[in-house]
Amino acid sequence: MSNKKIDLLISGHFTSVANRIRAYNCKNNFYKTKIIGIAHGHNWIWDEPYNEIAEYEYSDYYLSYGKPRNINSKVLQKLFYKTQIIGSSCDIIKKIKDQDYKIDLSDKELSEIKFLYVPREYQVNGYLPHHMSDQNYNLWHKILFEKFTDYNVTIKLHPKRKSLKHDSFFSKKFILEKEIKIEKIFNKYDVLIFDTLTSALTKTIATNKPIIFFNIHERKTSINVMKILKKRVIYNDMHKIQNFKISKIKFKPKYYLNDEFINRYSLYKNKKRSSTLFELINKI
């Protein structure tokens, strides 16, 4: 790539080696190209130096999600360049939040409730960003589904999965949801189940749908994330799975309206993300 005439580089996440090489070449050329890094996903909640250093090091400005937050002091000490964090809104989350989704479980027996389990993708190679191997993740699934043996559970697999291991493992006992975009099937299911802080979970949090969340302790989040998440979901710890009983849960609609999570980590100033980006470009 020729970068002699590049004044501004706008790039996706810098965990991509190709993106880092382009940014390095631009940042070290004679013209001192300015770089805007764009956060991946639909929120920015992580406290993971191996991700954050790469994201911040190559960015003069980092277009994050939600309210801008300070960079972790330990990460900041390792950066040669100081990036400016820019808060912004996720347009998809805003659109989902503004819609109404049907929820009426008051007259339904547990056997009638439609559950949707949404696992993360398999790692295939290595253990990052998730710290549980594919084999152990499947072991967790076997333990988890013992708690849902007598209930109507469908599986929604990751749309960009790198392997068909998911399909072969889950299809032996469960129906697989064919729709790729989770936002298109919210009204099809009553309760959604997650065990990882994924984009799909963030989208679901933006609805008024009941969510059962199992913390499997794979990734480190920034301070207060779990505390705020617990206000929105029916929270469970994987280490206490033996005590979990679906029959003890009372699905009260008013409980599921807390939007503190998306207001802090996905939305900012009620402004389109593109508008925030254009304003930033004009200031540079």
Side-chain angles (χ1 to χ4, degrees), residues 148-207:
F148 291 87
T149 302
D150 300 323
Y151 304 108
N152 183 359
V153 179
T154 301
I155 311 297
K156 165 75 172 68
L157 299 181
H158 197 285
K160 298 180 182 179
R161 54 192 180 279
K162 305 179 187 72
S163 167
L164 295 180
K165 288 182 180 179
H166 265 91
D167 302 69
S168 59
F169 176 82
F170 287 114
S171 61
K172 293 176 182 178
K173 294 184 178 181
F174 300 97
I175 295 173
L176 303 184
E177 172 58 57
K178 295 181 180 179
E179 175 55 53
I180 293 176
K181 294 185 177 181
I182 193 169
E183 55 266 37
K184 291 186 176 182
I185 54 174
F186 283 135
N187 281 330
K188 188 176 178 180
Y189 298 96
D190 301 307
V191 179
L192 290 89
I193 306 167
F194 295 86
D195 53 28
T196 312
L197 287 159
T198 58
S199 293
L201 172 60
T202 306
K203 291 178 180 179
T204 309
I205 288 174
T207 73

Side-chain angles (χ1 to χ4, degrees), residues 57-101:
E57 183 66 72
Y58 296 93
S59 304
D60 294 290
Y61 305 90
Y62 188 73
L63 191 64
S64 182
Y65 287 106
K67 297 178 181 179
R69 74 171 199 250
N70 295 328
I71 299 175
N72 183 300
S73 59
K74 292 182 179 180
V75 172
L76 197 60
Q77 291 173 2
K78 297 179 180 180
L79 299 178
F80 286 109
Y81 304 99
K82 301 299 186 289
T83 187
Q84 182 179 343
I85 307 298
I86 308 297
S88 72
S89 285
C90 177
D91 298 336
I92 294 176
I93 297 300
K94 179 65 167 60
K95 182 178 180 180
I96 292 173
K97 181 185 177 183
D98 291 342
Q99 295 184 39
D100 291 323
Y101 297 94

Side-chain angles (χ1 to χ4, degrees), residues 115 117 137-153 155 169-170 173-174 193 214 238 240-247:
F115 294 92
Y117 171 59
Y137 197 38
N138 278 348
L139 288 175
W140 156 248
H141 290 141
K142 292 178 181 178
I143 296 171
L144 173 64
F145 289 129
E146 286 180 358
K147 300 294 182 177
F148 291 87
T149 302
D150 300 323
Y151 304 108
N152 183 359
V153 179
I155 311 297
F169 176 82
F170 287 114
K173 294 184 178 181
F174 300 97
I193 306 167
F214 293 92
M238 69 175 296
K240 298 180 179 179
I241 185 67
Q242 297 304 327
N243 299 325
F244 176 81
K245 289 185 179 180
I246 190 70
S247 58

Side-chain angles (χ1 to χ4, degrees), residues 219-231:
R219 301 185 64 179
K220 186 179 180 182
T221 57
S222 60
I223 190 169
N224 291 328
V225 168
M226 282 299 171
K227 181 180 179 180
I228 294 173
L229 180 68
K230 289 178 182 179
K231 297 179 183 180

